[in-house]
Amino acid sequence: PIVVAAPYNMVFFPITGVADVAWRCLIRRLLGYTDWDNSTRQFDGLTYLADFDIPTASSTMSSNNFTRVMFVRNPLHRIQSNYMKLVMDDEKNNH
């Protein structure tokens, strides 16, 4: 889910597998939660774009006051990681 950190005028678009848990924990820390380092609570207390009505969500997304943030992973590293995990581990298990 898309996270809105209104006090920091930030909209965060997490991508699974690209430190999404760590970023949600950091946002919780910035928002003052004392249990921010508990990854099982990574979704607790955050505000999501889906929590807003459509006009508010639309104005948030188009506002120049909000910074939209997305972190991506180098595609070559991702391919290499998947190859190592899927192919190399499979070869080890078959011998």
Side-chain angles (χ1 to χ4, degrees), residues 18-58:
V18 185
D20 57 316
V21 174
W23 284 108
R24 274 192 290 273
C25 288
L26 175 63
I27 292 169
R28 291 187 79 242
R29 184 177 188 180
L30 290 171
L31 294 174
Y33 290 96
T34 56
D35 63 345
W36 61 268
D37 58 342
N38 183 346
S39 64
T40 60
R41 300 198 56 158
Q42 63 178 301
F43 296 103
D44 294 355
L46 296 178
T47 304
Y48 300 100
L49 193 62
D51 295 337
F52 298 108
D53 58 22
I54 292 183
T56 305
S58 180

Side-chain angles (χ1 to χ4, degrees), residues 4-89:
V4 178
Y8 298 98
N9 291 344
M10 181 180 74
V11 179
F12 174 60
F13 299 85
I15 298 175
T16 303
V18 185
D20 57 316
V21 174
W23 284 108
R24 274 192 290 273
C25 288
L26 175 63
I27 292 169
R28 291 187 79 242
R29 184 177 188 180
L30 290 171
L31 294 174
Y33 290 96
T34 56
D35 63 345
W36 61 268
D37 58 342
N38 183 346
S39 64
T40 60
R41 300 198 56 158
Q42 63 178 301
F43 296 103
D44 294 355
L46 296 178
T47 304
Y48 300 100
L49 193 62
D51 295 337
F52 298 108
D53 58 22
I54 292 183
T56 305
S58 180
S59 67
T60 299
M61 291 302 295
S62 60
S63 173
N64 289 333
N65 295 329
F66 277 82
T67 300
R68 286 155 292 282
V69 180
M70 176 186 288
F71 296 95
V72 295
R73 187 171 167 195
N74 183 326
L76 294 176
H77 292 165
R78 194 159 195 167
I79 290 169
Q80 178 187 19
S81 174
N82 284 331
Y83 176 81
M84 297 296 287
K85 182 171 61 176
L86 299 173
V87 176
M88 298 304 281
D89 285 351

